[in-house]
């Protein structure tokens, strides 16, 4: 990998980016196809959000299962599922979810995650919480030793945005309002840089306790049960 990075740096940044995206997509697709092997007829299946999950949705539509009940974590995924002829059921009508499949912006070997790059963190956390099993699918660029290089998304009630931002500064972060973005729940997102997330469980608890926070995109209390890491070489399984 390092080899082709060096080669493409010497040509042009644009070419490098395209090559890297191709490589990443390969890993995403492999992880998504690996997750599909865990889907069984009759399951209540939670479907996450993002470009990695898009591969999962497309593969699911190509190989339909009988009597699946699908619960979606976003309007975006609901729309894609519907376009491919897959109907979605309300979580309240399904009860517990047998399996939840979703991507992540960062993941550790302890199966702690940062999620919410696509802004769907709240519904994702709800479906993950309702799931007996949560399989996270990522390409290998998402695997990190410590969470926090990716800005941590926090969904907030609009009137609380500035107050929450000040509390996040006290927690050591640099909050940035994700402007021109409204979540599926009508709320706003603050992306927080430079937080020390050496203890993801503690940080999740701390941020969740700030009044006005709807959800923090740390998935540590309820991390993944299985992490499937796709790369050009294959799929690594982490438990
Ligand atoms: C959306 C998410 C996504 O899972 C996360 O952003 C990863 O997305 P992608 O698969 O496109 O890299 O949390 O809210």
């Amino acid at each position: 990998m390092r080899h082709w990075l060096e080669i493409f740096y010497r040509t042009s940044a644009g070419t490098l980016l395209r090559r890297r995206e191709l490589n990443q997509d390969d890993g995403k697709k492999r992880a998504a196809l690996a997750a599909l092997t865990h889907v069984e007829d009759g399951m209540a299946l939670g479907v996450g959000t993002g470009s990695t999950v898009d591969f999962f949705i497309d593969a699911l539509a190509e190989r339909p299962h009988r009597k699946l009940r699908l619960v979606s974590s976003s309007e975006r995924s609901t729309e894609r599922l519907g376009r491919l002829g897959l109907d979605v059921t309300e979580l309240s009508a399904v009860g517990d979810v047998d399996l939840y499949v979703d991507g992540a912006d960062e993941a550790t070997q302890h199966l702690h995650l940062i999620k919410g790059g696509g802004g769907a963190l709240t519904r994702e956390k709800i479906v993950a919480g309702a799931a007996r099993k949560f399989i996270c699918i990522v390409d290998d660029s998402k695997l990190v030793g410590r969470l926090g290089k990716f800005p941590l998304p926090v969904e907030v009630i609009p009137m609380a945005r500035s107050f929450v931002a000040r509390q996040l500064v006290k927690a050591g972060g640099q909050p940035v309002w994700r402007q021109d973005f409204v979540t599926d729940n009508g709320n706003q997102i603050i992306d927080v840089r430079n937080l020390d997330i050496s203890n993801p469980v503690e940080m999740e608890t701390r941020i969740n306790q700030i009044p006005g926070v709807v959800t923090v995109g740390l998935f540590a209390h309820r991390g993944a049960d299985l992490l499937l890491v796709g790369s050009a070489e294959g799929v690594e399984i982490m438990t």
Side-chain angles (χ1 to χ4, degrees):
M1 185 155 170
R2 183 167 295 156
H3 184 61
W4 61 252
L5 272 179
E6 281 165 2
I7 290 168
F8 279 84
Y9 261 124
R10 255 182 264 126
T11 52
S12 82
T15 315
L16 166 67
L17 192 67
R18 278 198 296 280
R19 179 70 190 264
R20 183 187 281 159
E21 276 169 2
L22 265 184
N23 196 273
Q24 238 179 304
D25 274 358
D26 219 31
K28 289 177 184 188
K29 197 169 185 176
R30 283 182 182 208
L33 292 178
L36 192 65
T37 65
H38 293 260
V39 177
E40 295 169 13
D41 289 349
M43 270 186 163
L45 175 66
V47 179
T49 302
S51 56
T52 314
V53 168
D54 285 347
F55 285 118
F56 177 75
I57 292 174
D58 294 352
L60 190 67
E62 274 173 24
R63 276 174 263 172
H65 292 69
R66 283 185 303 156
K67 294 186 176 166
L68 270 190
R69 288 157 299 144
L70 299 175
V71 175
S72 171
S73 64
S74 64
E75 299 300 331
R76 171 194 158 133
S77 288
T78 299
E79 195 272 326
R80 192 178 188 95
L81 287 161
R83 211 169 354 106
L84 295 170
L86 298 170
D87 291 334
V88 162
T89 307
E90 290 291 317
L91 176 63
S92 300
V94 163
D96 282 348
V97 168
D98 296 303
L99 174 65
Y100 180 48
V101 177
D102 199 358
D105 300 298
E106 281 184 352
T108 69
Q109 60 173 351
H110 304 295
L111 312 194
H112 295 149
L113 315 169
I114 284 185
K115 291 184 48 53
L121 59 163
T122 297
R123 296 190 188 188
E124 292 174 338
K125 201 172 264 198
I126 293 168
V127 184
R132 292 194 184 92
K133 186 169 184 178
F134 173 13
I135 298 182
C136 182
I137 50 177
V138 293
D139 68 86
D140 58 351
S141 71
K142 308 284 187 68
L143 201 57
V144 296
R146 180 191 282 205
L147 297 174
K149 195 165 178 199
F150 189 91
L152 179 65
V154 181
E155 180 165 350
V156 296
I157 301 287
M159 73 160 282
R161 192 185 69 238
S162 297
F163 167 70
V164 172
R166 291 196 296 279
Q167 307 314 305
L168 292 167
V169 169
K170 286 180 194 163
Q174 291 175 325
V176 177
W177 173 26
R178 198 184 294 181
Q179 294 197 43
D180 301 322
F181 185 87
V182 177
T183 70
D184 288 347
N185 314 303
N187 296 315
Q188 297 178 348
I189 299 272
I190 296 173
D191 294 301
V192 195
R193 294 168 193 279
N194 293 332
L195 273 178
D196 174 0
I197 315 183
S198 43
N199 187 331
V201 172
E202 256 181 31
M203 187 56 82
E204 183 177 359
T205 304
R206 177 170 181 178
I207 295 177
N208 269 337
Q209 281 170 347
I210 302 171
V213 167
V214 179
T215 315
V216 55
L218 264 175
F219 285 56
H221 281 284
R222 203 289 180 247
D225 299 306
L226 196 67
L227 181 63
L228 301 176
V229 185
S231 68
E233 284 74 45
V235 178
E236 190 178 351
I237 301 168
M238 299 176 114
T239 51

